[in-house]
Amino acid sequence: MFDMDGVLYDSMPNHAKAWNEAMEHYDMTMTKRDVYLNEGVTGKETISRISMRDRGRPAEPDEIREIYDHKARLFKNLPEVQVMPGALEVFSKVSTLGLDILIVTGSAQKNLIERAQRDFEGYITRESMITAFDVKRGKPHPDPYLKGLEIAGVEASQAVVVENAPMGIRSAVAAGIDTIAVNTGPLEDSLLTVEGSKMLLHSMAALADWLDGQSV
Ligand code: CA
């Protein structure tokens, strides 16, 4: 099971820019580091957290929707994000091993969710994607990955997760699944490993290399 942003797409720099600008517009501050520390958490939860921190009060549901829509528009207007180098090679090798592939993302960014089905055609359909629209409680709760296990029809011990964010790793580990951390962002490796990942690499290309010689 693969996380999407920062694993399959090199989209985090754009998310950081869009969050930064959107929150500033509403008199809150979201630094690049804040974005990476909250990565994987749903937009709704992220806005609530920052509102509590910066304004000492939760954001109202209407306000959350407005801020998230603003952020989503800013994101959409940024230069198109690229598929992460090595991601297709990883999918090809995982598929050759006979494993099913799912995408498990906290994203509600409709354009990217639709694009993933085209960019990873042959590996992914909408049915094999768990998004912010498919679970009530997002990462770092285990729910998205538990839903993934349910859809794949496998036990936690039969699955592996690939994640790039601390909250994502926390979610997968809470679901009882062995997790490979791929640190593609600016956070220290220790912030990922402390969440319980079994191994850590620094790129999807490195994961593709590692998959050579693996068997299931
Ligand atoms: Ca991610």
Side-chain angles (χ1 to χ4, degrees):
M1 295 196 265
F2 292 83
D3 170 54
M4 186 168 76
D5 291 286
V7 168
L8 300 177
Y9 286 104
D10 187 14
S11 47
M12 284 310 295
N14 280 11
H15 280 296
K17 263 188 218 140
W19 273 120
N20 180 276
E21 208 177 309
M23 294 303 254
E24 201 175 283
H25 187 76
Y26 293 92
D27 294 324
M28 291 180 274
T29 304
M30 197 155 175
T31 63
K32 185 174 159 189
R33 191 172 173 84
D34 287 335
V35 173
Y36 281 91
L37 286 172
N38 282 283
E39 186 189 343
V41 176
T42 59
K44 185 181 162 184
E45 179 64 27
T46 300
I47 292 163
S48 295
R49 285 183 181 189
I50 302 291
S51 178
M52 281 305 291
R53 189 196 64 189
D54 287 4
R55 310 188 297 184
R57 65 169 177 87
E60 301 299 326
D62 282 354
E63 197 181 18
I64 289 175
R65 251 192 307 277
E66 190 185 318
I67 298 173
Y68 189 78
D69 286 351
H70 189 70
K71 183 259 166 180
R73 264 197 310 279
L74 290 169
F75 180 84
K76 211 176 158 193
N77 288 332
L78 288 167
E80 188 172 66
V81 299
Q82 302 299 311
V83 170
M84 191 66 90
L88 274 163
E89 205 185 341
V90 167
F91 272 16
S92 165
K93 289 181 179 178
V94 166
S95 183
T96 302
L97 286 171
L99 296 170
D100 291 331
I101 296 172
L102 281 85
I103 294 178
V104 180
T105 175
S107 178
Q109 201 80 44
K110 284 185 179 148
N111 56 329
L112 208 49
I113 292 168
E114 277 161 24
R115 220 190 108 188
Q117 294 161 57
R118 293 195 298 277
D119 288 341
F120 302 105
E121 202 185 348
Y123 300 111
I124 287 295
T125 62
R126 180 65 186 86
E127 286 66 43
S128 52
M129 289 185 80
I130 291 110
T131 74
F133 301 109
D134 303 311
V135 285
K136 270 212 179 80
R137 294 194 314 173
K139 304 171 190 178
H141 296 290
D143 306 31
Y145 283 110
L146 291 174
K147 181 93 180 168
L149 292 176
E150 188 190 316
I151 287 174
V154 300
E155 302 292 327
S157 61
Q158 298 171 288
V160 176
V161 164
V162 179
E163 264 284 356
N164 75 311
M167 293 299 108
I169 297 167
R170 189 180 296 181
S171 168
V173 170
I177 308 168
D178 283 355
T179 303
I180 299 172
V182 179
N183 190 6
T184 58
L187 298 179
E188 306 83 68
D189 288 347
S190 60
L191 285 174
L192 280 70
T193 51
V194 76
E195 299 293 345
S197 54
K198 294 280 178 196
M199 63 183 261
L200 183 136
L201 299 167
H202 291 100
S203 69
M204 287 297 273
L207 179 58
D209 287 345
W210 179 81
L211 281 167
D212 286 333
Q214 298 297 321
S215 57
V216 288

Coordinates of all heavy atoms in Angstrom, one line a residue, residues 1 3 38-42 44-46 48-49 104-106 130-132 135-149 161 163 165-177 179 195:
M1 N 0.8 -1.2 0.0 CA 0.0 0.0 0.0 C 0.9 1.2 0.0 O 1.8 1.3 0.8 CB -0.9 0.0 1.2 CG -1.9 -1.2 1.2 SD -3.2 -1.0 2.4 CE -2.6 -1.9 3.7
D3 N 1.4 5.4 0.0 CA 0.9 6.7 0.2 C 1.1 7.5 -1.1 O 1.8 7.0 -2.0 CB 1.8 7.4 1.3 CG 1.5 8.8 1.4 OD1 0.4 9.3 1.6 OD2 2.5 9.6 1.3
N38 N 2.7 17.9 9.4 CA 1.3 17.5 9.4 C 0.9 16.7 8.2 O -0.3 16.3 8.0 CB 0.4 18.8 9.4 CG 0.3 19.4 10.7 OD1 -0.5 18.9 11.6 ND2 1.0 20.5 11.0
E39 N 1.9 16.4 7.3 CA 1.6 15.7 6.1 C 0.9 14.3 6.4 O 1.3 13.6 7.3 CB 2.9 15.4 5.4 CG 2.7 14.8 4.0 CD 4.0 14.3 3.3 OE1 5.1 14.8 3.7 OE2 3.9 13.6 2.4
G40 N -0.1 14.1 5.6 CA -0.8 12.8 5.7 C -2.1 13.0 6.5 O -3.1 12.3 6.3
V41 N -2.1 14.0 7.3 CA -3.4 14.4 8.0 C -4.3 15.0 7.1 O -3.9 15.8 6.2 CB -3.0 15.3 9.2 CG1 -4.2 15.8 10.0 CG2 -2.0 14.6 10.2
T42 N -5.6 14.8 7.2 CA -6.6 15.5 6.3 C -6.5 17.0 6.4 O -6.1 17.5 7.4 CB -8.0 15.0 6.5 OG1 -8.4 15.4 7.9 CG2 -8.2 13.5 6.4
K44 N -8.9 19.1 6.7 CA -9.8 19.5 7.7 C -9.1 19.5 9.1 O -9.1 20.5 9.9 CB -11.0 18.5 7.7 CG -12.1 18.9 8.7 CD -13.2 17.8 8.6 CE -14.1 18.0 9.8 NZ -15.1 16.9 9.9
E45 N -8.4 18.4 9.4 CA -7.8 18.2 10.7 C -6.6 19.2 10.8 O -6.3 19.8 11.8 CB -7.3 16.7 10.8 CG -6.5 16.4 12.1 CD -7.4 16.5 13.3 OE1 -8.6 16.4 13.3 OE2 -6.7 16.8 14.4
T46 N -5.9 19.4 9.7 CA -4.7 20.3 9.6 C -5.2 21.7 10.0 O -4.6 22.4 10.8 CB -4.0 20.2 8.3 OG1 -3.6 18.9 8.0 CG2 -2.9 21.2 8.2
S48 N -7.8 22.6 11.6 CA -8.2 22.7 13.0 C -7.0 22.8 13.9 O -7.0 23.6 14.9 CB -9.0 21.4 13.4 OG -10.2 21.3 12.7
R49 N -6.0 22.0 13.6 CA -4.8 22.0 14.5 C -4.1 23.4 14.5 O -3.8 24.0 15.5 CB -3.7 21.0 14.0 CG -4.0 19.6 14.3 CD -2.9 18.7 13.8 NE -3.2 17.3 14.0 CZ -2.3 16.3 13.9 NH1 -1.1 16.6 13.4 NH2 -2.6 15.1 14.1
V104 N -3.1 4.7 -0.6 CA -3.8 5.1 0.6 C -3.4 6.5 1.0 O -2.3 6.7 1.4 CB -3.6 4.1 1.8 CG1 -4.3 4.6 3.0 CG2 -4.0 2.7 1.4
T105 N -4.3 7.5 0.7 CA -3.9 8.9 0.8 C -4.9 9.7 1.6 O -6.1 9.3 1.6 CB -3.7 9.5 -0.6 OG1 -3.5 10.9 -0.4 CG2 -5.0 9.3 -1.4
G106 N -4.4 10.7 2.3 CA -5.3 11.6 3.1 C -5.8 12.7 2.2 O -6.6 13.5 2.6
I130 N -7.8 4.5 -1.6 CA -8.5 5.0 -0.4 C -8.0 6.4 -0.2 O -6.9 6.7 -0.1 CB -8.1 4.1 0.8 CG1 -8.8 2.8 0.7 CG2 -8.7 4.8 2.1 CD1 -7.8 1.7 0.5
T131 N -9.0 7.4 -0.2 CA -8.7 8.8 -0.1 C -9.5 9.4 1.1 O -10.2 8.7 1.8 CB -9.2 9.5 -1.4 OG1 -10.6 9.6 -1.4 CG2 -8.7 8.8 -2.7
A132 N -9.3 10.7 1.2 CA -10.1 11.4 2.3 C -11.6 11.2 2.2 O -12.3 11.3 3.2 CB -9.7 12.9 2.3
V135 N -12.8 7.5 4.2 CA -12.8 7.2 5.6 C -13.2 8.4 6.4 O -13.0 9.6 6.0 CB -11.4 6.7 6.1 CG1 -11.1 5.3 5.7 CG2 -10.3 7.7 5.6
K136 N -13.7 8.2 7.6 CA -14.1 9.3 8.5 C -12.9 9.9 9.2 O -12.7 11.1 9.2 CB -15.1 8.8 9.5 CG -16.6 8.9 9.1 CD -17.5 9.2 10.4 CE -18.9 9.3 10.0 NZ -19.6 8.0 9.8
R137 N -12.1 9.0 9.8 CA -10.9 9.4 10.5 C -9.7 9.1 9.6 O -9.4 8.0 9.3 CB -10.8 8.7 11.8 CG -11.9 9.0 12.8 CD -11.5 8.5 14.2 NE -10.9 7.1 14.2 CZ -10.4 6.5 15.2 NH1 -10.3 7.1 16.4 NH2 -9.9 5.2 15.1
G138 N -8.9 10.2 9.3 CA -7.7 10.0 8.5 C -6.5 9.7 9.3 O -6.6 9.5 10.5
K139 N -5.4 9.6 8.6 CA -4.1 9.4 9.3 C -3.9 10.6 10.3 O -4.4 11.7 10.0 CB -2.9 9.5 8.3 CG -3.1 8.4 7.2 CD -2.0 8.7 6.1 CE -2.3 7.8 4.8 NZ -1.4 8.0 3.7
P140 N -3.3 10.4 11.5 CA -2.5 9.3 11.9 C -3.3 8.1 12.5 O -2.8 7.2 13.1 CB -1.6 9.9 13.0 CG -2.4 11.0 13.6 CD -3.2 11.5 12.4
H141 N -4.7 8.2 12.5 CA -5.5 7.0 12.9 C -5.2 5.9 11.9 O -4.9 6.1 10.8 CB -7.0 7.4 12.9 CG -7.4 8.5 13.8 ND1 -7.4 8.3 15.2 CD2 -7.7 9.8 13.6 CE1 -7.7 9.4 15.8 NE2 -7.9 10.3 14.9
P142 N -5.4 4.7 12.4 CA -5.1 3.5 11.5 C -6.2 3.3 10.4 O -5.9 2.5 9.5 CB -5.1 2.3 12.5 CG -6.0 2.7 13.6 CD -5.8 4.2 13.8
D143 N -7.3 4.0 10.5 CA -8.5 3.7 9.7 C -8.2 3.6 8.2 O -8.7 2.6 7.6 CB -9.6 4.8 9.9 CG -10.0 4.9 11.4 OD1 -9.1 4.7 12.2 OD2 -11.1 5.2 11.7
P144 N -7.4 4.5 7.6 CA -7.2 4.4 6.1 C -6.5 3.1 5.7 O -6.9 2.4 4.8 CB -6.3 5.6 5.8 CG -6.6 6.6 6.9 CD -6.8 5.8 8.1
Y145 N -5.5 2.7 6.5 CA -4.8 1.5 6.2 C -5.6 0.2 6.6 O -5.5 -0.8 5.9 CB -3.4 1.5 6.9 CG -2.5 2.4 6.1 CD1 -2.0 3.6 6.6 CD2 -2.1 2.0 4.8 CE1 -1.2 4.4 5.9 CE2 -1.2 2.8 4.1 CZ -0.8 4.0 4.6 OH 0.0 4.8 3.9
L146 N -6.4 0.3 7.6 CA -7.3 -0.8 7.9 C -8.3 -1.0 6.8 O -8.6 -2.1 6.4 CB -8.1 -0.6 9.2 CG -7.2 -0.6 10.5 CD1 -8.0 -0.2 11.7 CD2 -6.6 -2.0 10.7
K147 N -8.8 0.1 6.2 CA -9.7 0.0 5.1 C -9.0 -0.6 3.9 O -9.6 -1.4 3.1 CB -10.2 1.5 4.7 CG -11.1 1.6 3.6 CD -12.5 1.5 4.0 CE -13.5 1.6 2.9 NZ -14.9 1.3 3.2
G148 N -7.7 -0.3 3.7 CA -6.9 -0.9 2.7 C -6.8 -2.4 2.8 O -7.0 -3.1 1.8
L149 N -6.6 -2.8 4.0 CA -6.5 -4.3 4.3 C -7.8 -5.0 3.9 O -7.8 -6.0 3.3 CB -6.2 -4.6 5.7 CG -4.8 -4.2 6.3 CD1 -4.7 -4.4 7.8 CD2 -3.7 -4.9 5.5
V161 N 3.6 -1.3 3.8 CA 3.2 0.1 3.5 C 4.5 0.9 3.1 O 5.5 0.7 3.7 CB 2.5 0.8 4.7 CG1 2.5 2.3 4.5 CG2 1.1 0.3 4.8
E163 N 5.6 4.8 3.0 CA 5.2 6.1 3.5 C 6.3 7.1 3.6 O 7.5 6.7 3.8 CB 4.6 6.0 4.9 CG 3.1 5.9 5.0 CD 2.3 7.2 4.8 OE1 3.0 8.2 4.6 OE2 1.1 7.1 4.7
A165 N 5.9 10.2 5.5 CA 5.6 11.2 6.5 C 5.4 10.6 7.9 O 4.8 9.5 8.0 CB 4.3 12.0 6.1
P166 N 5.8 11.3 8.9 CA 5.7 10.7 10.3 C 4.2 10.3 10.6 O 4.0 9.2 11.1 CB 6.1 11.9 11.2 CG 7.0 12.7 10.3 CD 6.5 12.6 8.9
M167 N 3.2 11.1 10.3 CA 1.8 10.8 10.6 C 1.3 9.6 9.8 O 0.5 8.9 10.2 CB 0.9 12.0 10.4 CG 1.2 13.2 11.3 SD 0.9 12.8 13.0 CE 2.6 12.7 13.6
G168 N 1.9 9.5 8.6 CA 1.5 8.3 7.7 C 2.1 7.1 8.3 O 1.4 6.0 8.3
I169 N 3.3 7.1 8.7 CA 4.0 5.9 9.3 C 3.2 5.5 10.6 O 2.9 4.4 10.8 CB 5.5 6.2 9.6 CG1 6.2 6.5 8.3 CG2 6.1 5.0 10.3 CD1 7.6 7.0 8.5
R170 N 2.9 6.5 11.4 CA 2.1 6.3 12.6 C 0.8 5.5 12.3 O 0.4 4.6 13.0 CB 1.8 7.6 13.4 CG 1.3 7.4 14.8 CD 1.0 8.6 15.5 NE 2.2 9.4 15.7 CZ 2.2 10.6 16.4 NH1 1.1 11.1 16.8 NH2 3.4 11.2 16.6
S171 N 0.1 6.0 11.3 CA -1.1 5.4 10.9 C -1.0 3.9 10.5 O -1.7 3.0 10.9 CB -1.7 6.2 9.7 OG -2.8 5.5 9.1
A172 N 0.1 3.6 9.6 CA 0.3 2.3 9.2 C 0.7 1.4 10.3 O 0.3 0.2 10.4 CB 1.4 2.3 8.0
V173 N 1.6 1.9 11.2 CA 2.1 1.0 12.3 C 0.9 0.7 13.2 O 0.8 -0.4 13.8 CB 3.3 1.8 13.0 CG1 3.6 1.1 14.3 CG2 4.5 1.8 12.1
A174 N 0.1 1.7 13.4 CA -1.1 1.5 14.3 C -2.1 0.5 13.7 O -2.8 -0.2 14.4 CB -1.9 2.8 14.5
A175 N -2.0 0.3 12.4 CA -2.8 -0.7 11.7 C -2.1 -2.1 11.8 O -2.6 -3.1 11.3 CB -3.1 -0.3 10.3
G176 N -0.9 -2.1 12.3 CA -0.1 -3.3 12.5 C 0.7 -3.8 11.3 O 1.0 -4.9 11.1
I177 N 0.9 -2.8 10.4 CA 1.6 -3.2 9.1 C 3.0 -2.8 9.1 O 3.4 -1.6 9.5 CB 0.8 -2.5 7.9 CG1 -0.7 -2.8 8.0 CG2 1.4 -3.0 6.6 CD1 -1.5 -2.0 7.0
T179 N 6.2 -1.2 7.8 CA 6.3 0.1 7.0 C 7.7 0.4 6.5 O 8.6 0.5 7.4 CB 5.6 1.2 7.8 OG1 4.3 0.9 8.2 CG2 5.6 2.5 7.0
E195 N 8.6 6.7 14.6 CA 7.2 6.3 14.4 C 7.1 4.8 14.2 O 6.0 4.2 14.2 CB 6.5 7.0 13.3 CG 6.4 8.5 13.5 CD 5.6 9.0 14.6 OE1 4.8 8.2 15.1 OE2 5.7 10.1 15.0

